[in-house]
Amino acid sequence: MSEKTAKTAAKATAAKTSAAKSATKVAAKPAATAKPAAVKPAAPKAAAKPVAPPRVEEKKVVTQRQGFKANEFIVYPAHGVGQILAIEEQEIAGAKLELFVINFMKDKMTLRVPTAKVANVGMRKLSDPALVKKALETLKGRARVKRTMWSRRAQEYEAKINSGDIVAIAEVVRDLYRSESQPEQSYSERQLYEAALDRLSREIAVVQHATETEAVKEIESQLAKSPRRGAKAEAGGEGDADGEGDTDGEELDSDGDDTAVEDEAA
């Protein structure tokens, strides 16, 4: 082999060896670790919109309207004596409405009355002492019973009770009252009498700053002074002896006529 050929072969061998070493180094070198992808934070959820609370009706409290003021006692014809708790101004559907808030303690009832309607319903202030005195004087008068059927008289009594007129109510108490020595009332008479007595005593109690029990006693003391009841108590049995004594249904009406027994019992 010539020297030139030997050198060429040696170079080729050296090149192969160098290539092998390079391959070994590449194989031995660990692959570069891939960087983890950056995790983006999740976008925050949109906050839920707050639900608007239901609209509350606007209320404006006032202290006086139509001559009436808060905390004042009044008479409402259909229910009797009540107390104004407040006078409210409410806005409903864009319209303003003023209301009296009235409490009827004994009936455990609260009533709201538009201030513009007080004249129509007959709401009034308490009677003055002079009018209360007149009502008490009325109780001492002679009972007047008209010569009509009971059903018609009952309607008249109810109308007087619901009129709100303290003197008219006193007339019902006077006409339907029965003392212990007199015949008992019928069920319907008793109901009307108690309704009238309740209305009258409650107003007198508030006006005189007394209790209802005290007012009832004062009413009954006035009723006991009625000429009819006093005369019967004094006459005793004399009237029965001559046939002119009081009997069930025999009363004098406003014209001085005798009322028949069957009319009173009807």
Side-chain angles (χ1 to χ4, degrees):
M1 177 182 300
S2 64
E3 185 178 350
K4 188 177 182 178
T5 303
K7 287 181 179 180
T8 303
K11 288 180 179 181
T13 302
K16 287 181 181 180
T17 303
S18 177
K21 287 181 178 180
S22 298
T24 302
K25 287 181 179 180
V26 171
K29 188 178 182 179
T33 305
K35 293 182 179 180
V39 179
K40 293 182 179 180
K45 294 182 179 180
K49 293 183 179 180
V51 180
R55 184 178 179 183
V56 179
E57 295 177 353
E58 183 182 351
K59 293 183 179 181
K60 181 180 177 182
V61 179
V62 293
T63 58
Q64 185 170 346
R65 282 292 183 272
Q66 304 288 346
F68 297 94
K69 57 187 178 181
N71 300 321
E72 180 182 7
F73 284 95
I74 53 87
V75 174
Y76 192 88
H79 303 291
V81 177
Q83 185 179 21
I84 299 176
L85 297 182
I87 305 173
E88 297 179 347
E89 183 180 283
Q90 297 185 8
E91 183 174 340
I92 303 175
K96 291 184 178 180
L97 185 64
E98 285 185 338
L99 302 169
F100 286 113
V101 182
I102 306 171
N103 179 47
F104 299 89
M105 187 177 296
K106 190 170 183 179
D107 299 329
K108 297 180 179 180
M109 177 181 68
T110 300
L111 192 67
R112 284 175 168 77
V113 182
T115 57
K117 300 290 184 181
V118 293
N120 293 341
V121 300
M123 192 172 95
R124 64 170 174 83
K125 290 181 174 291
L126 292 173
S127 301
D128 56 41
L131 192 56
V132 169
K133 183 178 180 181
K134 181 179 179 181
L136 291 171
E137 290 292 328
T138 300
L139 298 173
K140 296 191 296 184
R142 182 180 295 276
R144 298 179 178 182
V145 181
K146 294 181 180 180
R147 186 182 298 170
T148 56
M149 296 296 292
W150 164 248
S151 59
R152 182 174 298 177
R153 280 187 285 135
Q155 291 177 353
E156 293 178 357
Y157 290 145
E158 287 180 354
K160 284 185 175 182
I161 293 171
N162 293 323
S163 69
D165 184 339
I166 190 172
V167 175
I169 296 172
E171 290 174 354
V172 177
V173 174
R174 177 199 65 195
D175 294 346
L176 292 178
Y177 174 74
R178 294 289 181 274
S179 63
E180 294 180 358
S181 61
Q182 291 178 297
E184 293 184 359
Q185 296 169 313
S186 67
Y187 177 74
S188 55
E189 283 179 321
R190 186 69 185 175
Q191 279 189 315
L192 288 171
Y193 172 74
E194 290 180 351
L197 179 63
D198 180 69
R199 296 283 179 86
L200 184 61
S201 62
R202 286 166 71 178
E203 184 165 4
I204 290 176
V206 176
V207 173
Q208 297 183 346
H209 303 287
T211 64
E212 287 188 37
T213 301
E214 292 171 341
V216 169
K217 288 181 178 179
E218 183 174 6
I219 291 170
E220 290 178 344
S221 68
Q222 297 298 317
L223 289 169
K225 298 176 183 178
S226 166
R228 176 190 62 181
R229 290 150 196 131
K232 181 173 181 179
E234 294 173 2
E238 292 181 8
D240 294 335
D242 59 15
E244 294 177 359
D246 289 341
T247 58
D248 186 14
E250 291 181 343
E251 306 288 353
L252 293 178
D253 63 9
S254 57
D255 299 325
D257 297 328
D258 290 333
T259 302
V261 176
E262 59 268 19
D263 290 342
E264 182 68 22

